[in-house]
Amino acid sequence: MGASKKHRERGGAEAAEEAPGAAGTGGGGSAGRPREHRKHRHRGGERRGKRSRSRGERGGSGGGSGSSRRGGAEEGGRSGHGRGGSESERRAKRERKEEREEPAPPKSAAGESSLSVEETNKLRAKLGLKPLETGPAKKEAGTKEEPVAAELINPLALRQREEIREKLAAAKEKRLLNQKLGKVKTLGEEEPWLDDAAAWIERSRALQREKELAEKRAKLLEEMDQEFGVSPLVEEEFQRRRRERYSARDLQGLTVEHDPASIPEGQTLVLTLKDRGVLEGGEDVLEQAALAAAARAREEQELRRRRPNYDPYGEQEPGPQAARALLPQYDEPAPRPSFRLGPGGTQDAGGDPRPGPLPLPPAGPSPQSLELPLPRLASEYLSAEEMAVTFRKTRRRVRKLRKKEKPLRADDLLPTAPGDTQGDFGSRSRGRGRRVQEDEEGAGGDPENGPETPEGTPQAPLPSDDTRTENMEISSDDEAAPPGTPPALEEDEAEQELQQQLERGRRLRQLRELREGGGEKVLELLRGGSGGVPGGPDPRGVGSIVFNATSEFCRTLGEIPTYGLAGNREEQDELMALERAGRPVSPPEPPDSEGEENVGWSSVNLAEERQHQDFSASSTTILDEEPIVNRGLAAALLLCQNKGLLETTVQKVARVKAPNKSLPSAVYCIEDKMAIDDKYSRREEFRGFTQDFKEKDGYRPDVKIEYVDETGRKLTPKEAFRQLSHRFHGKGSGKMKTERRMKKLDEEALLKKMSSSDTPLGTVALLQEKQRAQKTPYIVLSGSGKSMNANTITK
Amino acid sequence: MIEVVCNDRLGKKVRVKCNPEDSIRDLKKLIAAQTGTRWDKIVLKKWYTIFKDHVTLGDYEIHDGMNLELYYQ
């Protein structure tokens, strides 16, 4: 666009060069303003043509390219001016170029494009808009470039025109009125025949004469008709027509769908054909619209109002009604009474009611009888079935102490044969824990327990653990209880309790015996050999490790601090004690005191305690080992730390506390020289001439007094003086002042920490980081890349 | 008939002849025919006032020779 613009401009410039004398219109011609007058361009073209043909052509064509379709015509015109044959090729090329450029809207030198009125109108027609309104709507006579002076508005003239218009309008109205009213005869007007008899007579006579004339004329016409023989034909036709007319006799046999009684006497009704489907067969039925509608409305109202007869206790025999008992309101409407017209279209007396459509038997569910079973006399006792249903026997789960599992020996298994035992030996559910038991037994219990266990007695086949635990009984005598015994519901609870107590007592006694006996007893027992039943009815091995579901659970659970402190756990307690006693690997001398009181895992605790004791004992040694320093930095640091060479405590930044009380200036006192007044003190004053020491001649002291504040910072003279005066006066600055000073000091410190190459927020560093992350040498600063578009540039 | 100047400020400047009874939509169509864009992509504005499609030029009091800003959406 720009290039073409330049081209056109060049073309325009050329034209301007060639025709410097031409007014702006020359350049305007090349600009191709559509509103320009043709004569201007023509003139320009002519001028150009006069000057030099070739150049003029170029300029002209350049101008022509900038013009509208008129350019084509003008081209023709210009070519009419006469062009050399040598130029024809160039001309043709340029024409072709112009033709190609023509569809594009013409652009002026300024880059504007605008269409002429015709073009606009064409475009508007294409778009479906009204053509442009030209003419009176145009307020400005000329364009912006060519302003035309507007006409003056004369108010006087305007007013005059208005008045004239009004007058004219009034006159017109009057005229019209007069025209209308002119026809009306007013009372004032005189009719001659009203007053004068003679005139009246004349008038009446004239009227009569006219009438006679009219009659005569009619007669004449008739005679003429008769002459031509037309009248008989005419009469015939009339008669035929009368005959062919549809009359009452044609209504014979038609049905009228109304009750003959409902049609009142002496009234005429208009009957119409009833509506019927096109494909329906049958004959026509006459009905009166209003009556039919009324009948229909009545029926519907009935249906709506009437509900089907609700008869819950209906005992009557369902007759034909039963067929329609179900939803009678939806049945087809009952047929209406009708009658047939007899010959001559007259009413027939009575009418056969047309048989209506047969009511279909409704297909519905069969009726159910509501008969209830007959009432019976109620019995006072429950029958067997009722008993079974109502009451359910609950099995009382008797809380029995778990029987200690007898350690299983090989001897026990002897009497058991594959066929003897109940239950499935192969199943996993059996013998839970029993295997383990056996192993433990074998490992730990053997040396001691061997002779003790009295398990010579063969046992009955043992059922699975669960049932055994259920069926377990406390009394040791009954261990060999047959498996199938029913739970001891019958056994008295009290007796069980007694047994429990006895058991406990026995066990305790045994334990004590064991302890007191100590190793001798063990040896004795060992020597006693197998088969000797130890004293005491306690069949359970003392040193045997007995497992219990509860104990296992508790063991895995963890240490419960309150475990066993309540009174219920005596049994567990004993168990544990026995366990401990029986364990050969236990620590050599478990203290007695811990036997009963500490429950459970005291053995383990002991071991720990012993370990702790060891440690404490070792720390009392005086000399530590020589630390190894050549092992690395860490060791050296450790050594330093131990020796106290490192400052491990964090140094707190010294902060000035706003002194609530005054500075300790109590030691200072302002020496008042006037106070020295007594004789003796005055005597001691020195009032002499002082002289420098001779030996200290060359001594020039280089004194540099540095004042420091609390943090160790060197003070400026101002600050130093401030410090001094605070000390002198005995009071420092107030809260605000000190805070401000502190803030200032902090800011100074920050200033010192500032980096010289970066902003305080570290922007440069951040940018570099971002670059590194993005792996690009640049950073897009704002928005998204999409927004960098020419289209989005807004004002 | 009035002539309205629409300027893009990016090089497109068109003078469009239309009636004051034309709606802005018609004006946009005329502009589109001259500039070569789609008429529904044109937005005519005057400062921040966006001219709506269904209002006529007369109602907007757009007179002859007025400059409108041409944007795209």
Side-chain angles (χ1 to χ4, degrees):
Chain A
M1 213 202 307
S4 56
K5 189 166 113 182
K6 240 188 347 182
H7 156 78
R8 286 199 186 108
E9 276 195 81
R10 218 186 319 124
E14 270 185 7
E17 274 175 4
E18 291 151 33
T25 51
S30 74
R33 313 252 43 249
R35 283 224 203 94
E36 273 173 33
H37 305 285
R38 279 198 183 208
K39 56 178 179 177
H40 286 186
R41 207 175 282 134
H42 255 278
R43 226 186 288 138
E46 273 176 355
R47 246 180 257 140
R48 276 186 233 121
K50 274 185 206 159
R51 282 270 174 135
S52 62
R53 275 193 215 152
S54 58
R55 286 233 216 108
E57 276 165 11
R58 236 182 287 134
S61 55
S65 69
S67 79
S68 53
R69 304 240 168 89
R70 264 182 261 148
E74 274 175 45
E75 271 289 340
R78 264 194 226 102
S79 58
H81 284 292
R83 288 191 183 146
S86 56
E87 313 282 338
S88 63
E89 287 176 18
R90 241 183 284 151
R91 216 190 314 136
K93 273 194 215 153
R94 258 177 252 123
E95 278 178 26
R96 260 178 264 127
K97 217 201 310 173
E98 278 146 26
E99 278 165 16
R100 254 180 276 125
E101 283 169 354
E102 250 185 310
K107 285 205 166 62
S108 67
E112 266 183 41
S113 78
S114 80
L115 305 171
S116 71
V117 182
E118 293 94 23
E119 283 167 3
T120 314
N121 278 327
K122 276 190 207 151
L123 180 61
R124 285 175 77 96
K126 205 166 52 159
L127 290 171
L129 301 168
K130 284 196 310 186
L132 289 172
E133 296 166 359
T134 52
K138 252 195 143 176
K139 295 192 194 96
E140 286 176 40
T143 63
K144 247 185 178 172
E145 277 78 23
E146 294 164 4
V148 171
E151 47 183 67
L152 295 163
I153 301 165
N154 204 344
L156 266 171
L158 277 170
R159 224 185 304 143
Q160 277 175 357
R161 250 180 264 143
E162 279 291 322
E163 284 170 13
I164 292 167
R165 227 175 280 145
E166 280 170 26
K167 277 185 205 156
L168 283 170
K172 190 176 177 188
E173 275 211 43
K174 214 174 175 184
R175 202 185 349 119
L176 286 169
L177 261 164
N178 281 337
Q179 256 184 359
K180 255 193 272 174
L181 297 172
K183 297 179 194 161
V184 175
K185 288 203 186 114
T186 59
L187 285 173
E189 257 186 34
E190 288 211 343
E191 289 274 350
W193 47 269
L194 279 172
D195 293 335
D196 198 6
W200 186 84
I201 290 166
E202 273 188 40
R203 192 167 173 276
S204 60
R205 270 195 201 143
L207 284 168
Q208 217 181 357
R209 247 181 274 140
E210 276 179 28
K211 262 192 229 158
E212 284 167 7
L213 272 171
E215 281 179 25
K216 270 187 210 158
R217 261 184 243 128
K219 253 190 237 167
L220 257 168
L221 283 168
E222 267 199 52
E223 282 165 10
M224 277 168 68
D225 280 341
Q226 279 187 350
E227 271 179 33
F228 290 127
V230 181
S231 54
L233 286 168
V234 170
E235 280 186 33
E236 259 188 55
E237 266 208 45
F238 278 132
Q239 278 191 2
R240 212 187 303 135
R241 262 196 227 133
R242 229 179 290 126
R243 251 183 279 131
E244 284 170 358
R245 245 183 285 150
Y246 190 82
S247 67
R249 52 195 152 77
D250 295 312
L251 292 173
Q252 179 185 6
L254 277 178
T255 359
V256 178
E257 219 182 33
H258 288 293
D259 195 12
S262 65
I263 302 168
E265 284 283 332
Q267 205 188 42
T268 49
L269 285 176
V270 180
L271 300 173
T272 52
L273 287 172
K274 183 178 176 185
D275 284 337
R276 218 172 27 130
V278 177
L279 300 173
E280 267 180 39
E283 43 177 30
D284 297 321
V285 175
L286 289 171
E287 64 173 11
Q288 217 279 324
L291 281 179
R296 224 178 295 130
R298 236 182 296 122
E299 280 169 20
E300 277 178 32
Q301 221 178 20
E302 276 290 322
L303 276 175
R304 245 184 270 136
R305 214 190 302 134
R306 179 171 45 99
R307 303 241 160 82
N309 290 332
Y310 180 58
D311 196 9
Y313 303 108
E315 284 152 9
Q316 61 211 5
E317 265 288 311
Q321 287 294 320
R324 291 187 253 152
L326 214 58
L327 300 172
Q329 65 263 34
Y330 293 116
D331 291 341
E332 302 228 5
R336 299 223 197 96
S338 58
F339 61 92
R340 237 173 237 278
L341 295 168
T346 54
Q347 186 195 353
D348 217 14
D352 30 307
R354 217 182 319 171
L358 282 164
L360 298 162
S366 58
Q368 293 180 347
S369 84
L370 290 171
E371 284 181 5
L372 293 169
L374 290 170
R376 303 175 288 115
L377 261 180
S379 72
E380 288 168 18
Y381 303 98
L382 295 171
S383 67
E385 300 127 13
E386 284 170 351
M387 277 290 291
V389 166
T390 329
F391 297 107
R392 235 180 256 141
K393 232 178 177 182
T394 50
R395 282 231 336 230
R396 243 169 72 209
R397 282 198 105 203
V398 179
R399 263 256 176 114
K400 283 186 268 209
L401 292 175
R402 301 210 187 252
K403 204 170 99 170
K404 277 228 215 88
E405 285 296 328
K406 281 176 295 208
L408 186 64
R409 306 251 123 224
D411 306 329
D412 302 338
L413 296 172
L414 277 175
T416 67
D420 281 350
T421 58
Q422 278 185 12
D424 181 25
F425 276 105
S427 84
R428 281 205 201 96
S429 60
R430 281 209 76 183
R432 257 186 246 119
R434 220 174 351 137
R435 200 171 282 277
V436 187
Q437 222 181 346
E438 284 181 33
D439 290 347
E440 281 283 336
E441 298 278 327
D446 264 333
E448 290 174 62
N449 303 339
E452 287 182 329
T453 53
E455 298 315 280
T457 58
Q459 286 201 350
L462 301 163
S464 72
D465 279 357
D466 291 349
T467 45
R468 264 203 288 164
T469 33
E470 265 188 35
N471 300 343
M472 264 197 291
E473 291 176 317
I474 340 137
S475 63
S476 47
D477 301 328
D478 293 347
E479 359 174 34
T485 49
L489 272 172
E490 295 86 35
E491 210 165 359
D492 204 358
E493 286 264 345
E495 212 197 299
Q496 288 174 27
E497 289 251 7
L498 175 63
Q499 293 290 334
Q500 271 181 324
Q501 296 290 341
L502 289 170
E503 267 300 312
R504 274 196 220 116
R506 272 183 233 126
R507 272 189 240 140
L508 277 168
R509 236 185 296 126
Q510 205 183 15
L511 186 68
R512 243 174 267 125
E513 260 183 75
L514 236 185
R515 284 222 199 89
E516 281 152 23
E520 295 163 336
K521 224 194 171 187
V522 175
L523 285 168
E524 194 192 336
L525 288 165
L526 274 171
R527 263 182 249 120
S530 61
V533 183
D538 186 14
R540 298 173 193 71
V542 174
S544 62
I545 299 167
V546 178
F547 283 91
N548 218 335
T550 324
S551 61
E552 285 295 304
F553 171 70
C554 293
R555 190 165 65 88
T556 48
L557 195 62
E559 197 167 46
I560 310 167
T562 59
Y563 184 71
L565 294 175
N568 295 335
R569 305 283 182 174
E570 294 138 345
E571 168 202 26
Q572 280 298 317
D573 184 50
E574 286 146 13
L575 273 172
M576 288 304 114
L578 288 169
E579 259 189 60
R580 250 178 287 119
R583 207 176 291 181
V585 287
S586 62
E589 273 152 13
D592 267 358
S593 55
E594 292 170 329
E596 294 279 346
E597 284 127 40
N598 290 10
V599 196
W601 325 175
S602 52
S603 52
V604 183
N605 289 350
L606 269 179
E608 279 176 23
E609 277 164 31
R610 184 122 359 86
Q611 279 180 359
H612 281 304
Q613 277 174 5
D614 290 340
F615 276 147
S616 58
S618 64
S619 63
T620 53
T621 54
I622 297 156
L623 286 174
D624 284 334
E625 271 187 356
E626 269 290 317
I628 304 160
V629 196
N630 59 357
R631 277 288 177 82
L633 187 64
L637 277 173
L638 200 65
L639 174 67
C640 291
Q641 195 174 24
N642 286 343
K643 288 222 160 97
L645 299 171
L646 294 173
E647 275 182 328
T648 50
T649 56
V650 179
Q651 255 183 344
K652 284 204 183 138
V653 179
R655 231 176 260 170
V656 177
K657 280 175 271 187
N660 293 329
K661 18 184 213 266
S662 59
L663 293 167
S665 62
V667 297
Y668 284 88
C669 67
I670 300 163
E671 205 180 67
D672 193 3
K673 292 228 165 54
M674 292 299 121
I676 309 168
D677 243 350
D678 45 343
K679 235 183 348 178
Y680 304 102
S681 53
R682 256 211 222 130
R683 244 185 256 148
E684 284 161 17
E685 270 178 28
F686 179 67
R687 301 156 204 254
F689 159 73
T690 54
Q691 203 180 15
D692 287 333
F693 292 112
K694 281 209 181 59
E695 53 268 16
K696 297 276 177 195
D697 232 353
Y699 171 67
R700 297 277 175 266
D702 182 25
V703 180
K704 222 191 274 180
I705 301 175
E706 279 288 338
Y707 295 97
V708 202
D709 71 351
E710 302 101 355
T711 59
R713 216 168 45 93
K714 304 278 187 286
L715 291 174
T716 60
K718 181 177 176 183
E719 284 173 0
F721 180 72
R722 191 190 285 125
Q723 201 184 42
L724 182 76
S725 56
H726 284 171
R727 208 92 203 241
F728 178 72
H729 291 287
K731 69 171 177 73
S733 336
K735 184 172 78 140
M736 280 309 300
K737 209 53 175 239
T738 45
E739 272 180 13
R740 257 193 231 132
R741 245 185 58 224
M742 288 302 114
K743 236 174 46 180
K744 233 177 243 147
L745 292 175
D746 290 335
E747 273 171 23
E748 274 180 38
L750 271 175
L751 194 72
K752 287 210 189 100
K753 278 200 279 175
M754 232 175 65
S755 79
S756 61
S757 61
D758 201 355
T759 63
L761 296 170
T763 311
V764 174
L766 282 173
L767 284 173
Q768 278 180 348
E769 264 304 311
K770 192 86 180 29
Q771 273 182 354
R772 227 173 281 132
Q774 280 183 339
K775 298 195 181 69
T776 53
Y778 60 86
I779 288 179
V780 178
L781 283 178
S782 67
S784 61
K786 284 189 287 180
S787 65
M788 302 297 289
N789 235 355
N791 281 343
T792 58
I793 293 174
T794 58
K795 209 174 182 182
Chain B
M1 181 186 71
I2 58 175
E3 194 178 37
V4 172
V5 184
C6 301
N7 197 348
D8 196 9
R9 293 205 188 272
L10 295 173
K12 275 205 194 121
K13 188 173 176 185
V14 290
R15 301 174 73 91
V16 183
K17 294 183 183 52
C18 49
N19 291 330
E21 292 83 34
D22 289 343
S23 68
I24 293 283
R25 188 178 291 121
D26 303 334
L27 178 64
K28 282 187 183 176
K29 286 184 179 166
L30 290 167
I31 294 167
Q34 278 191 251
T35 56
T37 63
R38 295 230 310 254
W39 73 271
D40 47 350
K41 299 285 184 190
I42 290 173
V43 176
L44 291 172
K45 275 200 212 180
K46 193 120 185 102
W47 190 231
Y48 282 120
T49 313
I50 300 178
F51 291 127
K52 296 197 170 36
D53 283 354
H54 54 89
V55 187
T56 61
L57 297 180
D59 289 340
Y60 268 132
E61 299 206 7
I62 295 174
H63 302 300
D64 192 23
M66 247 172 107
N67 275 297
L68 300 184
E69 292 155 22
L70 187 61
Y71 294 99
Y72 304 97
Q73 63 174 346

